[in-house]
Amino acid sequence: MKIIKYTWLLSLFTMFALTNCSEDYLVRPPEDALTDADFYKTNEEVMAAIAPLYSRMWFDYNDKASYSIGDMRSGVIFDPWNDREFVEFNASGNNQSLIAAWNAFFTVVQQANLAIRNVNAYATDAVTDDIKKYAIAEARFMRACAYRNLVLAWGAVPIIEDNIAIMNSTDIRRNTPSSIWRFLTTEMRAIIDDLPEEPYATGRITKYSAEGMLARFYLSRAGVEADGGVRNQTYLDSAKYYAQHVIEYSGKSLLDDYRSLFLYPYDNNNESLFELQWVFSTTWGASNSVPAYLAYSSDIANGDGWGGNKSATWWLLNKYEGINPIGTTGDSIRGATIDTRLYNTFMLPGAHYPEITQDYTMEDGTQGQRECIYPNNTADLSFVCTKKYICGKNVDIAEGASSQHYPNNIYMLRLAEMYLIYAEAVLGNSNQSSDATALEYVNTIRRRAGLNNLSDNEGDRSYYTVEDLFNERTLEFAMESMLMYDLSNIFYYDKERALNILNNQDRGLFAVYPDAFPNPNSWTFVKTSWDSNRSINVTESNFYLPIPVADLSSMPSLSLDPVDYYAGE
């Protein structure tokens, strides 16, 4: 069972308490830091010291902030009554999910910095050089991943490599995005050879995890270093190189069926390059809490299931092939799709999920259980709620589950992204490409989702476009907290396009009517006539999240213009 298999993950949870926020949050050493010099005596102890960077340190981001920032801000999902600050791009520096994400990312940074310091200072001669290098490389990898999310969500942020050294600082400055991306690509390149080709233990990163992240980082840096909207070709070429290297040499492969990616137990499968590692445990922070907030009802959950009002947007549903406009008013769409990503990301009325047990009321009025059939709501508003990462009741999960405590992992990087990064790097600054390898990679992602190759009236297309890539990334990674970070990458080199994507989305209410229930063949979607709150207004001034008020109050220098981290070299 997983709870035994991942003893490396649980070994330190009892030593780590919840990290408390304080006014000097950015600079203070975390109260839950492991600094006992006697702990780093063996290879196993050193590797155990890094383990919480795979889970607990990310918990407050993973909990609710991940989908709020990545999916709700970007227009993948909306909620008509809750989390409106993320839906409408007016989150303040006092927003609790915003604060949770900021603090979680800097917790990862702090713990990574301390781990590096402690391994260097306290590891005994019994710890091998390879393990020292591996442990430090893991810490640097996690720190870089946290900074990647920070710079994409907040823009300029301060780079901190040693919290002890700056503990008494009162004048920390933010660093420019350009210098942050230079730091991130330099870091990730530096650790590749210190990581093994095979994981130290199931779920731990390898050199190919780092190469995959480096491909992602170079694609971002190409936009940051754009000149007049033209992305930097050197960094596009680097993104292409590393993506291809992972595809060809990692030994990873796409799972045959998109459904398998999220059919529990899917953890650490052969498509995965990096996951947050969760286990079922009564220890707060050891388990995955996301299903609690996204499952549509307690009928398929474990005393939680609070996601009944969180729905795919009208904008997103229009992207699935086979669901098309009807009439002339633009208020209705109808159809079905063979794209299995819809069925496995969101639930439509009448859809069956045999892996999930559902409570329901039988004809005689008594309560029974059956395989999940997503219910039909005949009112003038409905919600297409989340399926991805929903793994069901305790009875469905061999390792167990309880309210806000689930054992399934969260993807942070998987091989499918390498296919699409390669294709985007090849496309570069053009609107379309006929590169055969890149086109095949795009079509491979589509075929895995049950779709045909890209085509036109004359058959299979010999090219793919910017819009093709954007649509594939949007649908492939919906509800994986990805799209807002993708839009931030676009914003670097084409602000107008990024803002137009957001401002032209329909995020309003609608109703869903299946043609039959419970086994429909198609659905009709109709905009709710009385809902006029359908669009948002995003500008350059509110595109990035604001820094938490508490940190700005205690460190006013964060409001000053950012500086180049490498200035003076």
Side-chain angles (χ1 to χ4, degrees):
M1 292 176 64
K2 188 175 179 182
I3 199 162
I4 297 173
K5 187 175 182 181
Y6 300 148
T7 52
W8 66 268
L9 185 62
L10 281 174
S11 58
L12 291 188
F13 273 133
T14 56
M15 304 183 69
F16 282 77
L18 287 175
T19 302
N20 298 317
C21 298
S22 74
E23 291 186 354
D24 56 347
Y25 188 84
L26 285 176
V27 297
R28 70 174 179 83
E31 295 170 7
D32 52 11
L34 187 65
T35 56
D36 186 353
D38 292 330
F39 187 77
Y40 296 82
K41 297 189 300 294
T42 67
N43 287 346
E44 290 72 21
E45 288 178 352
V46 168
M47 294 305 290
I50 308 298
L53 287 170
Y54 282 85
S55 53
R56 174 63 192 96
M57 301 306 133
W58 293 89
F59 180 83
D60 290 341
Y61 168 66
N62 183 73
D63 184 54
K64 293 187 288 290
S66 57
Y67 65 78
S68 297
I69 294 172
D71 294 301
M72 196 164 281
R73 277 191 111 223
S74 65
V76 170
I77 57 171
F78 78 109
D79 188 310
W81 299 292
N82 303 302
D83 302 307
R84 294 303 295 178
E85 289 181 299
F86 291 104
V87 175
E88 297 175 353
F89 271 70
N90 57 14
S92 73
N94 288 314
N95 181 280
Q96 291 305 302
S97 289
L98 178 150
I99 293 168
W102 173 272
N103 287 354
F105 294 144
F106 276 108
T107 295
V108 173
V109 171
Q110 290 169 336
Q111 293 289 353
N113 289 341
L114 284 165
I116 293 166
R117 174 185 279 262
N118 291 342
V119 171
N120 283 325
Y122 301 132
T124 67
D125 291 341
V127 178
T128 65
D129 288 340
D130 283 345
I131 289 296
K132 290 177 186 176
K133 289 192 295 184
Y134 186 14
I136 290 171
E138 283 190 306
R140 292 170 75 179
F141 175 94
M142 297 296 179
R143 182 176 65 187
C145 290
Y147 267 121
R148 176 255 182 185
N149 286 11
L150 278 164
V151 69
L152 288 175
W154 274 270
V157 294
I159 296 175
I160 300 172
E161 292 191 75
D162 189 337
N163 291 82
I164 302 296
I166 62 166
M167 187 159 47
N168 298 316
S169 297
T170 59
D171 59 351
I172 292 176
R173 296 283 292 271
R174 294 176 299 146
N175 297 112
T176 60
S178 178
S179 62
I180 294 171
W181 284 108
R182 177 182 170 187
F183 173 77
L184 294 182
T185 53
T186 301
E187 280 286 281
M188 204 57 71
R189 285 192 66 169
I191 67 173
I192 286 173
D193 290 336
D194 291 340
L195 292 168
E197 293 195 15
E198 297 295 329
Y200 173 84
T202 300
R204 297 192 87 130
I205 61 170
T206 68
K207 69 174 295 180
Y208 298 109
S209 308
E211 288 188 346
M213 278 295 172
L214 191 52
R216 181 190 269 183
F217 289 2
Y218 272 126
L219 193 64
S220 297
R221 192 174 179 187
V224 174
E225 302 295 343
D227 183 4
V230 178
R231 286 189 280 183
N232 183 290
Q233 189 61 50
T234 297
Y235 300 136
L236 289 171
D237 291 343
S238 295
K240 173 186 171 183
Y241 170 82
Y242 283 105
Q244 183 75 341
H245 202 262
V246 174
I247 293 167
E248 291 187 350
Y249 297 106
S250 67
K252 297 288 184 178
S253 60
L254 298 181
L255 299 190
D256 291 338
D257 181 359
Y258 190 82
R259 180 171 182 254
S260 300
L261 282 164
F262 302 95
L263 185 64
Y264 190 80
Y266 57 79
D267 296 347
N268 303 309
N269 58 64
N270 202 45
E271 184 170 331
S272 177
L273 290 163
F274 169 39
E275 298 177 9
L276 295 184
Q277 304 287 323
W278 305 110
V279 296
F280 176 56
S281 169
T282 56
T283 302
W284 184 247
S287 300
N288 183 7
S289 59
V290 167
Y293 306 109
L294 295 181
Y296 76 86
S297 168
S298 59
D299 291 350
I300 60 168
N302 297 280
D304 44 43
W306 305 313
N309 296 330
K310 291 179 173 59
S311 171
T313 62
W314 180 271
W315 171 79
L316 185 74
L317 290 167
N318 274 269
K319 288 194 170 294
Y320 290 97
E321 294 180 19
I323 299 177
N324 301 306
I326 57 174
T328 59
T329 63
D331 293 334
S332 301
I333 53 177
R334 178 183 296 159
T337 181
I338 58 175
D339 189 336
T340 60
R341 293 175 296 195
L342 176 55
Y343 172 86
N344 292 292
T345 305
F346 297 104
M347 294 180 169
L348 290 173
H352 289 242
Y353 296 93
E355 70 272 20
I356 296 175
T357 298
Q358 177 188 48
D359 297 331
Y360 81 110
T361 302
M362 296 187 288
E363 291 183 2
D364 62 3
T366 60
Q367 294 296 305
Q369 290 188 327
R370 66 183 181 193
E371 70 176 37
C372 176
I373 304 173
Y374 190 65
N376 185 26
N377 178 4
T378 58
D380 63 353
L381 63 96
S382 309
F383 298 100
V384 178
C385 294
T386 301
K387 164 59 177 70
K388 193 173 281 188
Y389 291 128
I390 306 303
C391 52
K393 290 181 171 291
N394 180 277
V395 68
D396 302 313
I397 305 166
E399 294 148 73
S402 62
S403 181
Q404 296 178 272
H405 293 259
Y406 292 83
N408 53 319
N409 288 352
I410 294 289
Y411 292 113
M412 296 292 275
L413 186 70
R414 53 187 178 88
L415 186 67
E417 189 177 354
M418 297 301 102
Y419 283 61
L420 296 177
I421 285 176
Y422 181 95
E424 184 170 351
V426 168
L427 186 70
N429 294 297
S430 302
N431 289 321
Q432 68 180 49
S433 171
S434 298
D435 182 274
T437 299
L439 177 63
E440 176 58 19
Y441 284 164
V442 174
N443 282 329
T444 296
I445 295 297
R446 290 174 55 82
R447 291 195 299 268
R448 196 264 293 269
L451 296 170
N452 297 320
N453 291 342
L454 290 169
S455 61
D456 53 28
N457 293 332
E458 298 178 357
D460 286 356
R461 272 205 254 138
S462 61
Y463 64 93
Y464 63 96
T465 68
V466 169
E467 193 62 24
D468 292 329
L469 273 180
F470 180 77
N471 288 340
E472 291 307 316
R473 282 191 67 97
T474 298
L475 300 180
E476 180 72 18
F477 302 113
M479 295 312 299
E480 294 181 54
S481 305
M482 289 277 281
L483 183 56
M484 194 61 217
Y485 300 115
D486 287 350
L487 291 170
S488 293
N489 281 328
I490 295 171
F491 190 75
Y492 281 138
Y493 64 93
D494 193 344
K495 288 182 171 61
E496 183 179 4
R497 180 184 173 216
L499 296 177
N500 282 341
I501 289 171
L502 291 164
N503 289 324
N504 287 303
Q505 292 173 346
D506 189 316
R507 301 186 179 200
L509 290 167
F510 56 87
V512 187
Y513 303 106
D515 65 345
F517 188 87
N519 298 300
N521 294 306
S522 69
W523 295 263
T524 300
F525 305 79
V526 181
K527 291 182 182 180
T528 303
S529 60
W530 49 264
D531 180 24
S532 59
N533 190 21
R534 311 198 70 90
S535 61
I536 58 173
N537 181 30
V538 188
T539 67
E540 290 188 38
S541 64
N542 66 352
F543 183 86
Y544 290 115
L545 293 170
I547 295 173
V549 169
D551 279 314
L552 277 177
S553 298
S554 62
M555 193 72 65
S557 55
L558 291 173
S559 64
L560 299 176
D561 289 341
V563 296
D564 189 332
Y565 187 66
Y566 297 94
E569 283 192 353

